[in-house]
Amino acid sequence: MSSQQPQHAGRLRLVGERDAGPAYGRPRPTGERAAVPAPARTPGQPPAPAQTPPPPAPQAPAAGALGFAEVLNAAIEASGLSLDRIRAALAHQGVRISVTTLSYWRRGRSQPERAASLRAVHLLEELLTLRRGTLSSLLGPPRPRGRWIAPTTHDALRVEQVWPGEQEIAEVFEELDAPPTGDLERLSIHDSYFVDADRRGHLLRMRQVVRATVGGVARCVVVHKADEGAVGCPEITSVRHARLGRVRRRPESGLLVAELLLDRPLALGDSTVFEYEVQIPDTGATTDYGRFFAVPVREYVLQVHFDPAAVPVHCERFEREPCAEVDRKREQLWIGASASAHVLAPDQPPGQVGIRWQWE
């Protein structure tokens, strides 16, 4: 999605259809208070007691004394614009930011960090009649957040390393305010991938064993993406030991991002198991399945189950470094009498591991 160049700031300010008044944080012109004439009195009358001048009108605190969220919230309140009007004004300038994200910014739950978000900040300064740099100067360094950054894991990957070029995933994670991956230690992940008699991968069964590294962990966010050429998105079904929360779909790219709500909040050191199935949209004959890892996993098991009527002639394990286009390791796999092959990856590091096969 290409971005348009920002239009004149005056065009942005018309969205509010009102005079926003002095910009928040700007100095107001100062001057002497107008003199109030004293009331006339008759000779011999004692002078009237001095009147106490009214207290000065309250003013917003200087922007420099507040953080980004406080300044943004006060500017939005002063503008009288709803978050939906602000979202529409930003979208008109080619920057798509959800109302949820705007709400998180003004409440301090997240902060703008990515290129599109930073451009939105500059447009917000124009829209809210703030001096250029009023908001952007208050942004600190990026904070650890989302599934792809684990503050307790030094070798965690960033989103662009796990899914190169997939800006949509980062934006959806920000919209969902995804908890850090480091909140849950992945002890075990077991994927079972099923290929039918028409050589199409149609079902994934996933089981995870996790342990809380902080207290109060109640959810996690998962990503599934269909192969190129798919019509629609994967769909999560049959969730066990958790329940499905918010789901975000991007059908044009086959992307599904879903929130799983655990059976109960986990205290520090508590463990839990959750399972779910993913129905995979049809993309024709399937030739591989792999999983991307943002953080180390103690044990990863992948099983690919083929229909006995359609067994490949060759099958191999592959591994790739993060962002790599070529395999760093290949190993031939035996397809047993059960028409299945598997890989076991103890202490799986960040990167990708999977199975690929050939039909003829």
Side-chain angles (χ1 to χ4, degrees), residues 38-48:
R41 60 185 179 88
T42 57
Q45 181 181 357

Side-chain angles (χ1 to χ4, degrees), residues 208-248:
Q208 285 197 31
V209 182
V210 297
R211 180 166 57 198
T213 61
V214 297
V217 181
R219 64 193 179 108
C220 70
V221 176
V222 297
V223 176
H224 292 278
K225 195 171 189 300
D227 292 337
E228 292 185 9
V231 177
C233 303
E235 293 295 338
I236 293 180
T237 61
S238 303
V239 181
R240 291 176 291 277
H241 313 302
R243 59 188 175 90
L244 195 60
R246 293 171 293 177
V247 178
R248 298 294 181 267

